């Protein structure tokens, strides 16, 4: 009986976390560059059930002992681009490709941006991010291109981090903001000639985006840069920088609303099960115990 009580309690905890994830997504429907988070649940390890009769043990089968919310997975799908008209606002439009190790042809990723090989290996679509630097010199990654410029000419992200160029150095503007021009590959143009000035926005290509860790405020970091396979973009990458635009949140309002309601109903169901077990235990203690 207690096993069922623990299973229902684990279900309540899992549904609460699922509900929290859905409400977080809804709260960030209009957050620039926000990437939707999906909660992934897994079963506890199964246990082998056996029956003893006449001194012999006969296997009955396996029984699941509950569920738990294992992790939250970010969905890096492209969000809609919204025109802001500000010269220091930028958005990334990407369609980075990966060759199939077996055939050499470009992989056709599914709607969530992943592909499963016949051998069961999961390959995720590479993603591009603006590269910023915190006060400790650590490189961080964001899709929020709502930048500002301080009195020293340093370009800062929405979180106050320094925006980096393609050499990993803080990006510094020497001219007025309204004269800033950037081409589709992120090259800053010379206002007089209209040609690339030799400075480029630091756009990082993350080959394994599933290795990124969400820090909050639309910023990610990599615990292991080599494992995430991060590099600065080059002219051959299929990406485009849009000046005067911002990328909206990629949250699917309909989906997360359904998820939130489903989590609420599942939480209620597990709560009823716990109430049933509590009533049964009460009878066992107060009534059966008298006999």
């Amino acid at each position: 009986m207690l096993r069922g009580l623990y299973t229902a309690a684990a279900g309540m905890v899992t549904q609460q976390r699922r509900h929290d994830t859905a409400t977080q997504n809804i709260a960030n429907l209009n957050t620039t560059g926000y990437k939707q988070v999906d909660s992934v649940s897994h079963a506890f390890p199964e246990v082998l059930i056996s029956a003893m009769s006449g001194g012999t043990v006969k296997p009955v089968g396996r029984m699941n002992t509950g569920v738990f919310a294992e992790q939250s997975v970010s969905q890096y799908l492209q969000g809609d681009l919204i025109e802001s008209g500000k010269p220091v606002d930028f958005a990334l439009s990407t369609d980075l490709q990966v060759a199939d190790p077996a055939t050499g042809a470009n992989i056709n990723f599914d709607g969530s941006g992943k592909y499963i090989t016949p051998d069961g290996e999961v390959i995720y679509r590479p993603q591009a991010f603006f590269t910023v630097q915190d006060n400790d010199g650590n490189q961080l990654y964001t899709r929020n291109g709502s930048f500002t410029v301080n009195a020293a000419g340093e370009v800062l992200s929405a979180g106050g981090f320094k925006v980096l160029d393609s050499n990993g150095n803080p990006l510094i503007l020497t001219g007025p903001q309204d004269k800033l021009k950037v081409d589709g590959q992120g090259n800053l143009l010379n206002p007089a000639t209209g040609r690339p000035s030799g400075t480029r926005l630091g756009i990082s290509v993350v080959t394994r985006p599933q290795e990124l860790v969400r820090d909050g405020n639309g910023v990610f970091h990599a615990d292991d840069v080599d494992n995430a396979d991060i590099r600065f973009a080059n002219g051959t990458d299929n990406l485009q920088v849009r000046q005067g635009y911002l990328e909206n949140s990629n949250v699917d309002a309909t989906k997360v609303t359904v998820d939130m309601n489903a989590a609420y109903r599942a939480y209620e169901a597990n709560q009823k099960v716990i109430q049933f077990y509590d009533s049964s235990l009460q009878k066992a203690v107060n009534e059966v115990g008298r006999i």
Side-chain angles (χ1 to χ4, degrees):
M1 183 179 294
L2 289 178
R3 183 181 292 123
L5 186 65
Y6 296 148
T7 300
M12 289 181 66
V13 173
T14 298
Q15 298 306 325
Q16 180 181 356
R17 293 180 178 176
R18 182 183 171 195
H19 187 275
D20 292 343
T21 299
T23 54
Q24 174 186 329
N25 288 326
I26 292 175
N28 287 279
L29 274 170
N30 298 313
T31 300
T32 302
Y34 179 82
K35 297 303 177 184
Q36 180 174 313
V37 182
D38 290 340
S39 180
V40 179
S41 300
H42 285 276
F44 282 124
E46 293 182 336
V47 294
L48 182 65
I49 304 299
S50 303
M52 180 177 290
S53 177
T56 60
V57 178
K58 297 181 180 180
V60 176
R62 295 184 177 274
M63 185 182 71
N64 188 283
T65 56
V67 65
F68 69 102
E70 183 181 42
Q71 60 181 334
S72 295
V73 178
S74 298
Q75 299 294 334
Y76 297 103
L77 302 179
Q78 179 78 49
D80 296 331
L81 303 188
I82 301 175
E83 186 174 6
S84 68
K86 297 180 181 179
V88 289
D89 280 351
F90 300 95
L92 291 174
S93 177
T94 65
D95 187 19
L96 301 175
Q97 299 295 327
V98 176
D100 191 321
T103 64
N106 286 338
I107 290 176
N108 292 320
F109 294 96
D110 63 17
S112 65
K114 68 180 180 182
Y115 169 77
I116 302 177
T117 67
D119 297 331
E121 179 186 1
V122 180
I123 300 176
Y124 292 86
R125 183 191 295 275
Q127 299 295 330
F129 298 84
F130 297 109
T131 313
V132 299
Q133 185 182 70
D134 64 12
N135 296 330
D136 297 325
N138 300 312
Q139 285 193 2
L140 307 174
Y141 312 96
T142 182
R143 290 292 287 240
N144 186 348
S146 180
F147 299 151
T148 57
V149 182
N150 63 15
E154 296 177 323
V155 182
L156 305 178
S157 70
F161 300 122
K162 295 179 181 179
V163 178
L164 302 183
D165 61 20
S166 57
N167 294 318
N169 301 316
L171 183 63
I172 299 177
L173 300 183
T174 57
Q177 296 182 32
D178 57 354
K179 299 296 183 181
L180 175 65
K181 296 295 181 182
V182 177
D183 66 13
Q185 291 300 312
N187 296 299
L188 275 65
L189 305 180
N190 188 312
T193 64
R195 297 179 178 275
S197 63
T199 302
R200 187 180 184 186
L201 285 172
I203 302 170
S204 291
V205 174
V206 184
T207 305
R208 300 185 183 91
Q210 71 274 16
E211 299 296 332
L212 293 179
V213 180
R214 185 184 295 262
D215 284 347
N217 298 319
V219 176
F220 300 85
H221 79 272
D223 289 332
D224 189 337
V225 175
D226 293 333
N227 190 38
D229 194 4
I230 301 175
R231 60 174 175 82
F232 281 113
N234 53 53
T236 63
D237 293 307
N238 190 12
L239 61 85
Q240 186 178 24
V241 179
R242 301 290 299 274
Q243 185 178 14
Y245 285 80
L246 292 173
E247 181 182 2
N248 202 5
S249 166
N250 69 349
V251 173
D252 185 335
T254 303
K255 178 181 181 301
V256 296
T257 301
V258 171
D259 287 346
M260 183 177 65
N261 289 331
Y264 175 72
R265 297 303 182 190
Y267 184 94
E268 280 188 325
N270 282 289
Q271 187 181 42
K272 294 294 185 182
V273 171
I274 290 179
Q275 290 175 348
F276 169 79
Y277 276 118
D278 179 66
S279 177
S280 298
L281 288 172
Q282 184 179 15
K283 288 185 178 182
V285 172
N286 296 330
E287 298 179 14
V288 177
R290 295 176 183 176
I291 300 175

